Amino acid sequence: MTDKDFVESAYKLAKDQYAQFGVNTDEVLEKLKDVVISLHCWQTDDVGGFETPDAELGGGGIQVTGNYPGKAGTIQQMRQDLDKVMSLLPGKQRLNLHAIYGEFGGKLVDRDEIDVEHFQGWIDWAKEKGIGMDFNATCFSHPKADDGFTLSSKDENIRKFWVKHSKLCRKITAEMGRQLGTASIHNLWIPDGMKDTPVDRYTHRAILKKSLDEILAEKYPKEHLKDSIECKLFGIGSESMVVGSHEFYMGYAIKNNTLLCLDNGHFHPTEQVGDKISSILQYIDEMLLHVTRGVRWDSDHVVTFNDEILLIASEVVRANALKRVNIGLDYFDASLNRIGAYVVGTRAAQQAFLFALLEPAKMLKGYEEKGKFFERLATLEVMKTRLFGAVWDYYCYINNVPVGQDFIAEVQMYEKDVLLKR
Ligand code: RNT
Ligand code: ZN
């Protein structure tokens, strides 16, 4: 167990060390409180959902690998897992729900029939915890998505079905935002695309544009609902074309004043989402991030505290855009303890924002403006070895959550007492 005195004295040293760079760690920790991460419910059960008892992720170019025991099989288990996860995380979170996670009471409620009533239990749950919620249409894992097209389908029946689903999802999201008193984001991602070279990209994109116009036609108060759209480069089975590409959605978002979601697994591996933020924010009021870790492809590995996440967080902070950038997670790894994966990934994202907030911004900008590039580089390097861990530990400590490695034992205990008994 981590010793209280140790945490406090290490923090004191860290505080003095950062002060040498003009950074006040107490103020930074105050700011970090406002960095709210939206927890992606689908990490609890590998994107299965509760439409049918044995639902599994199907279609849509996303994949979960692994069969680690203990996955949530009911909404009660999911809530129990989320409670555990939140008890191990400092700061506040939100819950990001997919439409397949409704309370359908054992009946098959098709996607064009869902309504607020199926999510009222979740809204009440969030109300009780005092947290916000976000929501997503589920346009995959469904027979009507099997041929690879949903909102951009040339089959009018299929297209209409998904338009209806998406409209209902916006209605549900707006109601969540209304009841919870904090705007809920509805994020739309569709799998549409082709494995081999298409010859009619134009029409599919024109159809998608038309579908989005229909879906967004109904206006809701901004304090209840924020609309977001998510692009992708390629998926399994959609290697040659994804209809909803970056250019497509960026254009749509600018023209129609929606949020744009950037998932850092959805670009060429050498592209940096961190670099895109300052461009997008010139034209778009608000963004959503899907923080993930792609390994060679959009593999959705558990987020770690790596350079990619650091650049993303730093660019948000440097652009003074914490209020304009909403942070969600998007990974699902079924090969290790899912609760542990949740905690590691969320903590890594939080750490990235802490690291970014601890940057001596004034000093670095001064160097840059004077052309002192050695000094800029050297300072950035020195910051990597400051007593960052002591500040992070202290943040956990004042939030009454496990410090340092202590969450590992908690996860192990939960596995033994709860997960392995499922
Ligand atoms: C898929 C997208 C999308 C999904 C979730 C489950 O590539 O990233 O956001 O992962 O909606
Ligand atoms: Zn995503």
Side-chain angles (χ1 to χ4, degrees), residues 163-180:
V163 166
K164 183 153 184 228
H165 172 64
S166 307
K167 281 182 166 177
L168 288 168
C169 286
R170 288 184 72 233
K171 177 187 170 198
I172 295 163
T173 314
E175 183 57 18
M176 280 173 176
R178 192 190 68 77
Q179 288 193 36
L180 296 172

Side-chain angles (χ1 to χ4, degrees), residues 379-399:
T379 307
L380 284 169
E381 282 301 292
V382 168
M383 294 324 289
K384 290 180 184 168
T385 56
R386 295 311 82 196
L387 292 169
F388 169 72
V391 183
W392 168 254
D393 282 353
Y394 184 71
Y395 185 62
C396 291
Y397 166 71
I398 57 176
N399 275 277

Side-chain angles (χ1 to χ4, degrees), residues 40 42 47 57 60-62 98 136-138 140 187-190 230-232 234-235 261 263 265-266 290 292 298 300 329-332:
H40 56 316
W42 50 95
V47 211
L57 177 62
I62 48 179
H98 241 287
N136 306 261
T138 312
F140 51 84
N187 182 54
L188 185 67
W189 173 79
I190 57 165
E230 179 182 3
C231 72
K232 188 160 174 162
F234 81 92
C261 172
D263 179 316
H266 289 190
H290 268 191
T292 188
D298 181 30
D300 289 300
L329 302 168
D330 187 9
Y331 58 83
F332 26 95

Side-chain angles (χ1 to χ4, degrees), residues 75-139:
I75 295 211
Q76 284 63 40
Q77 290 179 352
M78 204 171 151
R79 289 186 187 147
Q80 190 183 19
D81 288 355
L82 287 164
D83 278 342
K84 187 70 204 177
V85 168
M86 289 186 191
S87 78
L88 300 176
L89 294 173
K92 258 204 158 167
Q93 290 82 43
R94 299 168 66 89
L95 176 69
N96 192 11
L97 210 62
H98 241 287
I100 47 176
Y101 290 87
E103 290 179 274
F104 303 118
K107 283 193 283 286
L108 189 73
V109 181
D110 209 351
R111 308 264 172 99
D112 61 344
E113 293 164 347
I114 59 166
D115 218 326
V116 174
E117 64 190 271
H118 303 116
F119 299 91
Q120 190 56 52
W122 278 113
I123 300 174
D124 294 340
W125 180 84
K127 228 181 261 173
E128 215 183 285
K129 293 187 153 329
I131 64 171
M133 279 183 78
D134 300 302
F135 200 62
N136 306 261
T138 312
C139 301

Side-chain angles (χ1 to χ4, degrees), residues 339-389:
I339 311 307
Y342 236 139
V343 178
V344 167
T346 315
R347 281 184 171 226
Q350 292 177 305
Q351 284 168 353
F353 281 91
L354 174 58
F355 193 89
L357 287 164
L358 287 168
E359 186 171 270
K362 236 172 131 189
M363 183 185 278
L364 286 165
K365 249 194 203 166
Y367 288 146
E368 187 161 293
E369 281 161 9
K370 291 192 192 82
K372 296 191 166 203
F373 299 140
F374 152 69
E375 289 80 352
R376 178 184 64 184
L377 177 69
T379 307
L380 284 169
E381 282 301 292
V382 168
M383 294 324 289
K384 290 180 184 168
T385 56
R386 295 311 82 196
L387 292 169
F388 169 72

Side-chain angles (χ1 to χ4, degrees), residues 7 21 50 54 56 58 84 96 119 177 195 201 210 219 243 246-247 288 335 404 414:
V7 175
F21 297 85
F50 298 113
D54 49 359
E56 268 183 30
K84 187 70 204 177
N96 192 11
F119 299 91
K195 183 181 177 80
R201 297 171 201 253
K210 178 176 137 187
K219 301 290 169 216
V243 182
H246 181 44
E247 294 73 12
L288 171 64
S335 70
Y414 187 72

